[in-house]
Amino acid sequence: MAQFGGRLVVGLIGDPVEHSLSPHMHNAAFEALGIEARYELWPTAAADLGARVESLRRLGTLGANVTVPHKQVAIPLLDVISDTARRIGAVNTIVPRDGELHGDNTDAFGFGRSLAEVLAGRVASRALVVGAGGASRAVLASLQEAGFGEIVPVNRTQGKADTLAGSLDGSEWTAILVNPWNALAELAHSVSVLVNATSIGWHGEDLPFDLEVIAALPDDAVVFDLTYRSTALLRAASKRGLKAVDGLPMLVYQGARSFELWTGRTAPVDSMRQAVLAEQARRV
Ligand code: NDP
């Protein structure tokens, strides 16, 4: 971490950013480790992105997170891009290092940790991923890294899943097989992991697909919803006796990884998790 006389800053670049839980998570981490730093919200319109990214070169800036809609367009503004971020085609973390801006993506790591925690060494081979946006890209990369033999992306707009699969394919041991939306229930019979990577969980009690998909899953399947709240999907999966995991562990682990990239210190994961839970409870 750079030596600096004043308080260090790190921030979230996106539009909008007001809803973010990251300031609570990271400020708790700084406090837990006694680091004189502050995580701020930096709402940034597309026209201001270049200047905002350049400002990260200033002394006293630890780095930044990047969120919607800038995760892809920020890439050409940076000097060095990690292999993971390049494969995913998106950055969510920027670190100034020796005068250069490094772009990384910690979402895949975050999902991977969350997945490993749940599988606890169990071998899973086939995953069904619903959605083909930015989060889905990170999930697919993570599942590939975890050694899944077959990943099946399904998206309402199938062309987006085709594009996504085309840009990620290339691993010898993983087949990425896009399927149509109406095949979901049939596919569910033979998967060990189902991931909802659509944004539907934020909309009240809406389900991303019919409950027959949940009914068709094997008894030992794990259902992930990247939304970090108790969604109708997760409740339906739990009711059926399946393991159901929300997006909170992914959020905390991606944050922990970013924190470690900025500070070089081991992230206080428990403090970060508690801060997120406390802020969520306050918002209800
Ligand atoms: P995007 O906007 O990039 O993608 C949204 C996806 O949802 C698309 O595949 C879209 O399909 C699909 N979708 C939206 N509405 C519907 C609908 N009514 N029916 C079917 N499909 C629909 O979002 P992101 O990929 O960035 O984020 C997805 C989710 O993941 C969000 O809930 C986000 O909060 C969460 N997330 C969680 C993280 C964590 O750390 N836990 C990290 C990042 C994201 P189509 O292409 O057809 O429009």
Side-chain angles (χ1 to χ4, degrees):
M1 196 163 52
Q3 291 300 312
F4 182 64
R7 190 169 68 174
L8 297 159
V9 287
V10 57
L12 175 62
I13 301 173
D15 187 17
V17 290
E18 290 68 27
H19 61 285
S20 175
L21 293 167
S22 292
H24 304 275
M25 177 165 70
H26 287 292
N27 287 329
F30 290 136
E31 202 173 310
L33 298 189
I35 297 173
E36 275 290 307
R38 187 93 204 134
Y39 189 107
E40 300 176 344
L41 292 175
W42 294 337
T44 306
D48 304 325
L49 182 64
R52 172 64 76 189
V53 169
E54 270 310 297
S55 77
L56 300 178
R57 297 183 197 275
R58 275 189 216 135
L59 205 61
T61 308
L62 274 181
N65 275 139
V66 185
T67 188
V68 176
H70 304 318
K71 282 182 167 186
Q72 282 97 24
V73 285
I75 288 182
L77 305 174
L78 305 174
D79 304 306
V80 182
I81 303 296
S82 73
D83 288 347
T84 307
R86 199 172 292 289
R87 267 176 55 67
I88 296 170
V91 291
N92 79 332
T93 303
I94 302 176
V95 189
R97 204 178 284 145
D98 303 327
E100 290 184 317
L101 295 178
H102 291 244
D104 210 331
N105 191 310
T106 66
D107 283 334
F109 173 85
F111 180 76
R113 273 293 293 272
S114 175
L115 177 73
E117 219 167 59
V118 178
L119 291 181
R122 211 179 91 207
V123 178
S125 59
R126 194 164 191 238
L128 180 56
V129 181
V130 185
S136 177
R137 298 182 80 87
V139 167
L140 260 58
S142 180
L143 290 166
Q144 267 187 321
E145 229 160 85
F148 274 67
E150 199 173 306
I151 307 171
V152 186
V154 172
N155 194 44
R156 175 179 62 176
T157 313
Q158 192 177 329
K160 282 198 207 165
D162 290 330
T163 307
L164 175 57
S167 66
L168 272 174
D169 222 333
S171 149
E172 284 167 28
W173 59 88
T174 308
I176 301 185
L177 306 169
V178 177
N179 268 255
W181 188 266
N182 61 15
L184 270 171
E186 196 188 316
L187 291 161
H189 284 288
S190 57
V191 299
S192 36
V193 170
L194 166 68
V195 184
N196 174 34
T198 74
S199 42
I200 296 172
W202 293 113
H203 309 309
E205 293 300 293
D206 289 358
L207 282 160
F209 36 69
D210 291 343
L211 284 177
E212 60 173 342
V213 176
I214 294 294
L217 287 165
D219 290 345
D220 60 351
V222 182
V223 177
F224 286 86
D225 193 329
L226 301 195
T227 313
Y228 23 95
R229 65 189 281 262
S230 164
T231 63
L233 171 67
L234 291 173
R235 287 198 301 278
S238 294
K239 199 170 162 200
R240 226 217 84 184
L242 303 174
K243 183 92 188 150
V245 185
D246 69 21
L248 193 124
M250 175 180 176
L251 175 77
V252 172
Y253 289 131
Q254 65 76 29
R257 179 71 150 200
S258 298
F259 184 90
E260 290 174 356
L261 290 170
W262 296 322
T263 65
R265 304 275 300 271
T266 301
V269 175
D270 285 341
S271 302
M272 297 171 85
R273 185 184 291 112
Q274 290 312 321
V276 170
L277 289 171
E279 179 57 17
Q280 275 188 319
R282 200 189 63 77
R283 289 183 189 185
V284 169

Coordinates of all heavy atoms in Angstrom, one line a residue, residues 68 71 107 130-137 154-158 160 181 196-203 206-208 225-228 246-252 254, ligand 1:
V68 N -21.8 -1.2 -13.3 CA -22.6 -0.9 -14.4 C -22.8 0.6 -14.6 O -22.9 1.3 -13.6 CB -24.0 -1.5 -14.2 CG1 -25.0 -1.2 -15.3 CG2 -23.9 -3.1 -14.0
K71 N -18.2 -1.4 -16.8 CA -17.3 -2.5 -16.6 C -16.5 -2.9 -17.9 O -15.4 -3.4 -17.8 CB -18.0 -3.7 -16.1 CG -18.3 -3.7 -14.6 CD -19.0 -5.0 -14.2 CE -19.1 -5.1 -12.7 NZ -19.6 -6.4 -12.2
D107 N -15.1 -10.7 -9.5 CA -16.5 -11.3 -9.5 C -16.3 -12.8 -9.6 O -17.0 -13.6 -8.9 CB -17.4 -10.8 -10.6 CG -17.9 -9.4 -10.2 OD1 -18.0 -9.0 -9.0 OD2 -18.3 -8.6 -11.2
V130 N -28.6 -19.3 -15.9 CA -29.7 -18.6 -16.5 C -29.3 -17.1 -16.5 O -29.1 -16.5 -15.4 CB -31.0 -18.8 -15.8 CG1 -32.1 -18.1 -16.6 CG2 -31.3 -20.3 -15.7
G131 N -29.3 -16.5 -17.7 CA -28.8 -15.1 -17.8 C -27.5 -15.0 -18.6 O -26.7 -15.9 -18.6
A132 N -27.4 -13.9 -19.3 CA -26.1 -13.7 -20.1 C -25.6 -12.3 -20.1 O -25.1 -11.8 -21.0 CB -26.4 -14.2 -21.6
G133 N -25.8 -11.7 -18.9 CA -25.2 -10.3 -18.7 C -23.8 -10.4 -18.2 O -23.1 -11.4 -18.2
G134 N -23.4 -9.3 -17.6 CA -22.0 -9.2 -17.1 C -21.7 -10.2 -16.0 O -20.7 -10.8 -15.9
A135 N -22.7 -10.4 -15.1 CA -22.5 -11.3 -13.9 C -22.4 -12.7 -14.4 O -21.5 -13.5 -13.9 CB -23.7 -11.2 -13.0
S136 N -23.1 -13.0 -15.5 CA -23.1 -14.4 -16.0 C -21.7 -14.7 -16.6 O -21.2 -15.8 -16.5 CB -24.2 -14.5 -17.1 OG -24.1 -15.7 -17.7
R137 N -21.1 -13.7 -17.2 CA -19.7 -13.9 -17.8 C -18.8 -14.3 -16.7 O -18.0 -15.2 -16.9 CB -19.2 -12.6 -18.4 CG -20.0 -12.0 -19.5 CD -19.3 -10.8 -20.1 NE -18.2 -11.1 -21.0 CZ -18.4 -11.3 -22.3 NH1 -19.6 -11.3 -22.8 NH2 -17.3 -11.6 -23.0
V154 N -28.4 -20.3 -20.6 CA -29.7 -20.2 -21.2 C -30.1 -18.7 -21.0 O -29.9 -18.2 -19.8 CB -30.7 -21.1 -20.6 CG1 -32.1 -20.8 -21.1 CG2 -30.4 -22.6 -20.8
N155 N -30.5 -18.0 -22.0 CA -30.9 -16.6 -21.8 C -32.2 -16.3 -22.6 O -32.4 -16.9 -23.6 CB -29.8 -15.7 -22.2 CG -30.0 -14.3 -21.7 OD1 -30.3 -14.1 -20.6 ND2 -29.8 -13.3 -22.6
R156 N -33.0 -15.4 -22.0 CA -34.2 -15.0 -22.7 C -33.9 -14.6 -24.1 O -34.5 -15.0 -25.1 CB -34.8 -13.8 -21.9 CG -36.0 -13.2 -22.6 CD -36.6 -12.1 -21.7 NE -35.6 -11.0 -21.5 CZ -35.9 -9.9 -20.9 NH1 -37.1 -9.7 -20.3 NH2 -35.0 -8.9 -20.7
T157 N -32.8 -13.8 -24.3 CA -32.4 -13.4 -25.6 C -31.2 -14.3 -26.0 O -30.1 -14.1 -25.6 CB -31.9 -11.9 -25.6 OG1 -32.9 -11.1 -24.9 CG2 -31.7 -11.4 -27.0
Q158 N -31.5 -15.4 -26.7 CA -30.5 -16.4 -26.9 C -29.2 -15.9 -27.6 O -28.1 -16.4 -27.3 CB -31.1 -17.6 -27.7 CG -30.2 -18.8 -27.6 CD -30.7 -20.0 -28.3 OE1 -32.0 -20.2 -28.4 NE2 -29.9 -20.9 -28.8
K160 N -27.5 -13.4 -27.1 CA -26.5 -12.9 -26.1 C -25.8 -14.0 -25.4 O -24.6 -13.9 -25.2 CB -27.2 -12.1 -25.0 CG -27.6 -10.7 -25.4 CD -27.9 -9.8 -24.2 CE -28.8 -8.7 -24.5 NZ -29.4 -8.1 -23.3
W181 N -34.4 -21.2 -24.2 CA -35.1 -20.9 -22.9 C -36.2 -22.0 -22.6 O -36.3 -22.5 -21.5 CB -35.8 -19.6 -23.0 CG -36.5 -19.1 -21.8 CD1 -37.8 -19.3 -21.4 CD2 -35.8 -18.4 -20.7 NE1 -38.0 -18.7 -20.2 CE2 -36.8 -18.2 -19.7 CE3 -34.5 -17.9 -20.5 CZ2 -36.5 -17.5 -18.5 CZ3 -34.2 -17.3 -19.3 CH2 -35.2 -17.0 -18.4
N196 N -29.0 -18.6 -11.0 CA -29.8 -17.5 -11.6 C -29.0 -16.3 -11.7 O -28.7 -15.6 -10.6 CB -31.1 -17.2 -10.8 CG -31.8 -16.0 -11.3 OD1 -31.8 -15.8 -12.5 ND2 -32.4 -15.3 -10.5
A197 N -28.5 -15.9 -12.9 CA -27.7 -14.7 -13.0 C -28.5 -13.6 -13.8 O -27.9 -12.8 -14.4 CB -26.4 -15.1 -13.8
T198 N -29.8 -13.7 -13.7 CA -30.7 -12.6 -14.2 C -30.9 -11.6 -13.1 O -30.6 -11.9 -11.9 CB -32.0 -13.1 -14.7 OG1 -32.9 -13.4 -13.6 CG2 -31.9 -14.3 -15.6
S199 N -31.5 -10.5 -13.5 CA -31.7 -9.4 -12.4 C -33.1 -9.6 -11.9 O -33.6 -8.7 -11.1 CB -31.5 -8.1 -13.1 OG -32.0 -8.0 -14.4
I200 N -33.8 -10.7 -12.2 CA -35.2 -10.8 -11.8 C -35.4 -10.8 -10.3 O -36.5 -10.3 -9.8 CB -35.9 -12.0 -12.4 CG1 -35.8 -11.9 -13.9 CG2 -37.3 -12.3 -12.0 CD1 -36.2 -13.1 -14.7
G201 N -34.5 -11.3 -9.5 CA -34.6 -11.4 -8.1 C -34.9 -10.1 -7.4 O -35.4 -10.1 -6.3
W202 N -34.6 -9.0 -8.0 CA -34.8 -7.7 -7.4 C -36.2 -7.3 -7.5 O -36.6 -6.3 -6.9 CB -33.9 -6.6 -8.0 CG -32.4 -6.9 -7.8 CD1 -31.5 -7.2 -8.7 CD2 -31.7 -6.8 -6.5 NE1 -30.2 -7.4 -8.1 CE2 -30.4 -7.1 -6.7 CE3 -32.2 -6.5 -5.2 CZ2 -29.5 -7.1 -5.7 CZ3 -31.2 -6.5 -4.2 CH2 -29.9 -6.8 -4.4
H203 N -37.0 -7.9 -8.4 CA -38.4 -7.5 -8.6 C -39.4 -8.2 -7.8 O -40.0 -9.2 -8.3 CB -38.7 -7.6 -10.1 CG -37.7 -7.0 -11.0 ND1 -37.2 -5.7 -10.8 CD2 -36.9 -7.4 -12.1 CE1 -36.3 -5.4 -11.7 NE2 -36.1 -6.4 -12.5
D206 N -41.2 -12.0 -8.2 CA -41.1 -12.6 -9.6 C -40.1 -13.8 -9.6 O -39.1 -13.7 -8.9 CB -40.6 -11.6 -10.6 CG -41.7 -10.5 -10.9 OD1 -42.8 -10.7 -10.3 OD2 -41.4 -9.6 -11.7
L207 N -40.4 -14.8 -10.4 CA -39.5 -15.9 -10.6 C -38.9 -15.8 -11.9 O -39.6 -15.4 -12.9 CB -40.3 -17.2 -10.5 CG -40.7 -17.7 -9.1 CD1 -41.9 -18.7 -9.2 CD2 -39.5 -18.4 -8.4
P208 N -37.7 -16.2 -12.1 CA -37.1 -16.1 -13.4 C -37.6 -17.2 -14.4 O -37.5 -17.0 -15.6 CB -35.6 -16.4 -13.2 CG -35.5 -17.1 -11.9 CD -36.7 -16.7 -11.1
D225 N -28.7 -17.8 -6.4 CA -29.3 -16.6 -7.0 C -28.3 -15.5 -6.7 O -28.0 -15.3 -5.6 CB -30.7 -16.4 -6.4 CG -31.5 -15.3 -7.2 OD1 -30.8 -14.4 -7.8 OD2 -32.7 -15.4 -7.2
L226 N -27.8 -14.8 -7.7 CA -26.8 -13.8 -7.5 C -27.3 -12.6 -6.8 O -26.6 -11.7 -6.3 CB -26.1 -13.4 -8.8 CG -25.4 -14.5 -9.6 CD1 -24.6 -13.9 -10.7 CD2 -24.6 -15.4 -8.7
T227 N -28.7 -12.5 -6.7 CA -29.3 -11.4 -6.0 C -29.0 -11.5 -4.5 O -29.1 -12.6 -4.0 CB -30.8 -11.4 -6.2 OG1 -31.1 -11.6 -7.6 CG2 -31.5 -10.2 -5.8
Y228 N -28.7 -10.5 -3.8 CA -28.4 -10.7 -2.4 C -29.5 -10.3 -1.5 O -29.5 -9.3 -0.8 CB -27.1 -10.0 -2.0 CG -26.6 -8.8 -2.8 CD1 -26.9 -7.5 -2.5 CD2 -25.8 -9.0 -3.9 CE1 -26.4 -6.5 -3.2 CE2 -25.3 -8.0 -4.7 CZ -25.7 -6.7 -4.3 OH -25.2 -5.7 -5.1
D246 N -27.7 -17.3 -1.7 CA -27.9 -16.0 -2.3 C -26.6 -15.4 -2.8 O -25.5 -16.0 -2.6 CB -28.8 -15.1 -1.4 CG -28.0 -14.6 -0.2 OD1 -26.8 -14.7 -0.2 OD2 -28.7 -14.2 0.8
G247 N -26.6 -14.2 -3.3 CA -25.4 -13.5 -3.8 C -24.5 -12.9 -2.8 O -23.5 -12.3 -3.1
L248 N -24.9 -12.9 -1.5 CA -24.1 -12.2 -0.5 C -22.7 -12.8 -0.3 O -21.8 -12.0 -0.3 CB -24.9 -12.2 0.9 CG -24.2 -11.3 1.8 CD1 -25.3 -10.3 2.3 CD2 -23.6 -12.0 3.0
P249 N -22.5 -14.1 -0.3 CA -21.1 -14.6 -0.2 C -20.3 -14.1 -1.4 O -19.1 -13.7 -1.2 CB -21.3 -16.1 -0.2 CG -22.6 -16.3 0.3 CD -23.5 -15.2 -0.2
M250 N -20.9 -14.1 -2.6 CA -20.1 -13.7 -3.8 C -19.7 -12.2 -3.6 O -18.6 -11.8 -3.9 CB -21.0 -13.9 -5.0 CG -20.4 -13.3 -6.3 SD -21.4 -13.6 -7.7 CE -20.5 -12.8 -9.0
L251 N -20.7 -11.4 -3.2 CA -20.5 -10.0 -3.0 C -19.3 -9.8 -2.0 O -18.4 -9.0 -2.3 CB -21.7 -9.3 -2.5 CG -21.6 -7.8 -2.1 CD1 -21.6 -7.0 -3.4 CD2 -22.7 -7.4 -1.2
V252 N -19.4 -10.5 -0.9 CA -18.3 -10.3 0.2 C -17.0 -10.8 -0.3 O -15.9 -10.1 -0.1 CB -18.8 -11.0 1.5 CG1 -17.6 -11.0 2.5 CG2 -20.0 -10.3 2.0
Q254 N -15.9 -11.1 -3.5 CA -15.3 -10.3 -4.5 C -14.8 -9.0 -3.9 O -13.7 -8.5 -4.3 CB -16.3 -10.0 -5.7 CG -17.5 -9.1 -5.4 CD -17.3 -7.6 -5.2 OE1 -16.4 -7.1 -5.8 NE2 -18.1 -7.0 -4.4
Ligands
NDP1 P1 -27.3 -7.4 -16.8 O1 -28.3 -6.3 -16.9 O2 -26.0 -7.4 -17.5 O3 -28.1 -8.8 -17.3 C1 -29.4 -9.0 -16.9 C2 -29.8 -10.4 -17.3 O4 -31.1 -10.7 -16.8 C3 -29.8 -10.6 -18.8 O5 -29.4 -11.9 -19.1 C4 -31.3 -10.5 -19.1 O6 -31.8 -11.2 -20.2 C5 -31.9 -11.1 -17.8 N1 -33.3 -10.7 -17.6 C6 -33.7 -9.4 -17.1 N2 -35.0 -9.4 -17.0 C7 -35.5 -10.6 -17.4 C8 -36.8 -11.2 -17.5 N3 -37.9 -10.5 -17.2 N4 -36.9 -12.5 -18.0 C9 -35.8 -13.2 -18.3 N5 -34.5 -12.7 -18.2 C10 -34.4 -11.4 -17.8 O7 -27.1 -7.7 -15.2 P2 -25.8 -8.3 -14.5 O8 -25.4 -9.5 -15.3 O9 -24.8 -7.2 -14.2 O10 -26.4 -8.7 -13.1 C11 -27.3 -9.8 -13.0 C12 -27.7 -10.0 -11.5 O11 -26.5 -10.4 -10.8 C13 -28.2 -8.8 -10.8 O12 -29.3 -9.2 -10.0 C14 -27.1 -8.2 -10.1 O13 -27.4 -7.5 -8.9 C15 -26.4 -9.6 -9.7 N6 -25.0 -9.4 -9.3 C16 -24.5 -9.9 -8.1 C17 -23.2 -9.9 -7.8 C18 -22.8 -10.4 -6.5 O14 -21.7 -10.1 -6.1 N7 -23.6 -11.1 -5.8 C19 -22.2 -9.3 -8.7 C20 -22.7 -8.9 -10.0 C21 -24.1 -8.9 -10.3 P3 -31.8 -10.5 -21.7 O15 -30.4 -10.6 -22.2 O16 -32.8 -11.3 -22.5 O17 -32.2 -9.0 -21.5

